Amino acid sequence: MSEPFYRARVRIEKVRGVHRRATLESGATVEFGVHGPIKLHYKLGGEPDLPLPVDYVVAATGA
């Protein structure tokens, strides 16, 4: 098996509740958590409205 030619290096920290902050190797930070129907479904009314991780995946693919 060959070695990967790229490996993402990301530090993820729990801010509070389901709120997470990811710091990329470049130093850029990304906040994520819950919003909308997901927030309502899981009764997370006290959480701030933040993008879900899947929102970033969809945005990155240009869908």
Side-chain angles (χ1 to χ4, degrees):
M1 179 181 264
S2 64
E3 292 294 316
F5 62 90
Y6 176 76
R7 180 174 295 158
R9 299 185 191 284
V10 179
R11 183 172 53 96
I12 299 175
E13 62 183 293
K14 180 178 181 177
V15 177
R16 185 182 75 83
V18 297
H19 180 185
R20 302 288 189 271
R21 179 176 297 124
T23 304
L24 309 180
E25 192 171 17
S26 68
T29 59
V30 178
E31 308 283 330
F32 54 94
V34 293
H35 68 91
I38 302 297
K39 188 174 168 177
L40 292 173
H41 178 78
Y42 289 104
K43 299 178 177 54
L44 298 169
E47 296 291 330
D49 285 327
L50 293 168
L52 294 154
V54 71
D55 293 328
Y56 288 107
V57 172
V58 172
T61 61

